[in-house]
Amino acid sequence: MHDRPVPARWLRWTLAALAAVIACVGFGITTASATLSLGPHEAEYSVDTDGLVVVDLGPLGTLEIDSPLPLGLGVDVTVKEIPADLSAVGASSTLDRLVGDLDGYLQFYDSPQVTIDAVTVALLGDAARRAGLALVGVVLVGWGVRVLLGEARRRQLSASLAPRTWQLTAGVVIVAFVGTTLVSADVDGPRQGRPASAVFEGTALEGARITGRLAGVIDTYGGQLVALYDENEAFYEAARADLGQAWNSWEIRHAVRTNLGEEPPDPVSGEDGEGIVSMLVVADLHCNTGMSTVIEEAVQRSGADVVLNAGDTTMNGTAVEKVCVDAFASAVGDVPMVVADGNHDSVITSQQEAAHGQTILDGGTVEVAGVRILGDRDALETRIGEGTAVARERTPGEQAADLAAAACEQDPDLLLVHTPVVGLPALDAGCVPLQVSGHTHQRFGPVQVGRGIRYVSASTAGAASGQPTVGPLRGTAEMTLLRFDTTTREWLDVQVIAVTPSGEATVYDRERMPVVVPPVGELEDAVPPFSPPDGDEQDEEPAPSGSPSLDGPVAP
């Protein structure tokens, strides 16, 4: 009888380590979980092996769809904030609550890939963490067993098992293969009496099966949601196409006027290679993720070097509004974004934005693309469901004084804040040449205020008073392109980009930035150097009810 060949020691250890890693990775993947958002709710996502994606809404029922994951892997989604017992909640009030959450569901349905990507990254991260901890546990257990066995016993076991290395390896592979096959084969197909909902035919949820009271809700309101989604998609895709055409028309108009000498040529770059920096201003997005595609078009067509976000990216600054932050971050791509969060945002919002690499202003000056930008998060925070605003760490008056002091010390090129009135002391002192803000939902300026220029951006979400921002526009949405010469340290011009509720886009001509002329009168005596491009009522100072004083309430 021939002796079995004994594999080299390094090969045996390599096979043992590989088996341990595979087992730990399998454990990590099949037990991964994460807490993220699903529409207007927080939800717990966990990986399982039933081959289904199951959204559990408690006593309302479940939504099931075949999982796209391999090897029979599925995901269970447990939605929070659903009452455990509906006996105390009437059917009508339950349905009313769901209808009230329609905007939140539409935001999710409008950008499902954003949520899917976020969930995928979170689950993979948790799986890696669990696999790492499991591997550490295996190593520690192995080391403990090694110590307990002692050297003599280890040699005896090694002499006995080493000749059987290949048989043991084959056995592990067969067990793993059989286990995977059994898991995959155990996947439930569509169950009897649970047909796919016809509401989702032709959508990303085609084939979904509904159970419980939720089935009636979906049958009643699902068609409305799908119709709203289709209307929303069609509107913003058409608006994006119209913006592209409007930009082409402006480029032709600009070229003709330049050739005729009606407009001066663009300034040339300085000897150091720095030249003109284009900055696209957005403000008061208020979770209107439909505008993401239009913003993306504006960024690409304008060649913006930086995007300035003047705040109120979300409605309430909650964790579940991460889908909104993610959608806007995806729209700007690799273009740097500088953010001055607003009263409807929160520390959570700032953290979500920072996770995308966005620069969050926090009372100091940063330099982006050669432009020195000073700013801060809004001093007020709107309380969810209360409609009131309270001071964070400082009052608006204290924040205004701090920003004025910082401006006079740090010599910024731009002050970016959410609420216009907060920048008044810095402008009065002449320590900042330009302030950009939002908050009022109405465009105003650029106009000389104090010894500087103030520009208030309208809402990029087309936000209208008392109207939701989800769905086709209810008001005119605007963005503004600012240009700055890094050689002369001068602001050159402003250019308004607007999309009306009818979906018509307009790219207005550039308007020269006004030059500060001393002596400067008081705020109420300042006169805009030119009328806004659309010539409507927005060329007037926003109504006092928006921000009557530095320490007053916040209306929008």
Side-chain angles (χ1 to χ4, degrees):
M1 183 174 181
H2 299 288
D3 292 334
R4 296 187 181 94
V6 178
R9 181 182 178 85
W10 69 267
L11 180 59
R12 300 200 304 271
W13 276 104
T14 299
L15 292 174
L18 184 61
V21 169
I22 292 174
C24 291
V25 169
F27 168 78
I29 291 176
T30 55
T31 61
S33 64
T35 300
L36 292 168
S37 63
L38 179 71
H41 303 291
E42 283 194 353
E44 182 75 25
Y45 295 80
S46 58
V47 178
D48 58 22
T49 56
D50 64 1
L52 297 172
V53 176
V54 180
V55 180
D56 185 358
L57 290 164
L60 286 176
T62 64
L63 181 149
E64 298 179 359
I65 191 169
D66 295 333
S67 172
L69 300 176
L71 303 177
L73 295 174
V75 177
D76 279 347
V77 186
T78 302
V79 179
K80 300 181 180 181
E81 306 165 13
I82 300 294
D85 183 4
L86 290 185
S87 60
V89 182
S92 60
S93 62
T94 301
L95 297 183
D96 289 341
R97 175 64 183 273
L98 289 175
V99 173
D101 287 340
L102 190 60
D103 286 349
Y105 290 114
L106 184 56
Q107 287 165 354
F108 161 71
Y109 201 68
D110 180 49
S111 306
Q113 194 59 45
V114 173
T115 299
I116 292 171
D117 291 344
V119 170
T120 300
V121 170
L123 289 177
L124 287 175
D126 189 64
R129 181 183 64 83
R130 291 172 181 267
L133 291 175
L135 189 58
V136 170
V138 169
V139 171
L140 291 176
V141 170
W143 178 81
V145 171
R146 175 185 174 85
V147 172
L148 291 175
L149 288 176
E151 184 175 354
R153 182 59 176 163
R154 290 200 307 271
R155 289 180 178 176
Q156 181 181 2
L157 288 175
S158 177
S160 174
L161 297 177
R164 298 178 174 83
T165 298
W166 296 112
Q167 291 92 330
L168 291 173
T169 301
V172 171
V173 171
I174 291 173
V175 168
F177 175 77
V178 171
T180 301
T181 302
L182 290 175
V183 169
S184 301
D186 194 38
V187 174
D188 291 335
R191 303 176 187 177
Q192 295 295 326
R194 193 177 299 176
S197 175
V199 169
F200 299 120
E201 290 182 2
T203 73
L205 293 178
E206 184 171 3
R209 301 173 290 280
I210 314 298
T211 70
R213 189 176 299 186
L214 180 63
V217 176
I218 293 297
D219 289 341
T220 303
Y221 297 104
Q224 296 180 23
L225 181 60
V226 172
L228 285 173
Y229 168 76
D230 291 339
E231 180 186 4
N232 200 59
E233 287 289 285
F235 176 85
Y236 286 105
E237 283 301 323
R240 176 174 187 163
D242 202 68
L243 175 56
Q245 295 175 4
W247 194 271
N248 289 337
S249 299
W250 172 79
E251 286 182 332
I252 295 172
R253 190 166 67 246
H254 175 64
V256 170
R257 291 181 176 179
T258 301
N259 290 334
L260 293 176
E262 297 177 2
E263 293 183 4
D266 291 340
V268 296
S269 299
E271 294 180 358
D272 57 1
E274 294 183 341
I276 310 306
V277 176
S278 297
M279 313 186 87
L280 185 69
V281 179
V282 298
D284 300 281
L285 292 162
H286 287 300
C287 259
N288 184 359
T289 56
M291 279 297 293
S292 296
T293 184
V294 184
I295 294 172
E296 182 178 21
E297 182 73 12
V299 169
Q300 293 175 356
R301 297 306 297 267
S302 67
D305 301 295
V306 181
V307 174
L308 302 176
N309 183 347
D312 275 4
T313 301
T314 67
M315 292 296 295
N316 297 308
T318 58
V320 299
E321 291 171 290
K322 182 178 184 296
V323 64
C324 310
V325 174
D326 292 347
F328 298 130
S330 177
V332 303
D334 296 331
V335 177
M337 181 184 286
V338 182
V339 186
D341 279 319
N343 57 290
H344 281 273
D345 301 316
S346 67
V347 174
I348 294 174
T349 308
S350 298
Q351 293 171 344
Q352 293 168 345
E353 292 164 337
H356 286 286
Q358 298 174 18
T359 301
I360 312 302
L361 297 175
D362 195 24
T365 298
V366 300
E367 183 169 328
V368 182
V371 183
R372 298 187 295 268
I373 306 172
L374 169 67
D376 202 354
R377 298 187 302 119
D378 200 85
L380 298 180
E381 183 174 27
T382 301
R383 295 302 187 192
I384 300 173
E386 298 178 9
T388 58
V390 298
R392 289 190 173 111
E393 300 83 4
R394 296 167 293 170
T395 66
E398 293 170 338
Q399 182 183 54
D402 290 343
L403 286 173
C408 293
E409 293 175 0
Q410 300 170 19
D411 190 27
D413 302 305
L414 171 68
L415 175 61
L416 180 64
V417 291
H418 178 65
T419 304
V421 71
V422 172
L424 287 179
L427 291 170
D428 286 339
C431 293
V432 61
L434 175 66
Q435 173 195 301
V436 171
S437 60
H439 182 64
T440 66
H441 298 182
Q442 291 185 345
R443 172 166 36 89
F444 179 70
V447 60
Q448 182 170 335
V449 173
R451 293 175 175 82
I453 303 298
R454 188 179 76 175
Y455 182 75
V456 181
S457 173
S459 169
T460 307
S465 179
Q467 296 291 328
T469 55
V470 177
L473 294 173
R474 292 166 175 82
T476 299
E478 292 188 359
M479 294 169 275
T480 305
L481 194 65
L482 304 174
R483 295 197 307 157
F484 180 76
D485 190 330
T486 57
T487 303
T488 62
R489 315 305 302 179
E490 294 179 347
W491 289 98
L492 302 176
D493 44 48
V494 297
Q495 184 174 26
V496 175
I497 302 168
V499 181
T500 67
S502 65
E504 180 182 359
T506 303
V507 177
Y508 292 98
D509 292 331
R510 292 171 179 165
E511 297 284 350
R512 294 294 297 175
M513 190 70 71
V515 177
V516 175
V517 180
V520 180
E522 297 299 326
L523 176 61
E524 61 268 19
D525 296 328
V527 178
F530 66 93
S531 298
D534 56 5
D536 61 11
E537 70 279 5
Q538 294 178 359
D539 61 346
E540 297 179 357
E541 176 73 56
S545 59
S547 295
S549 68
L550 284 173
D551 298 306
V554 178

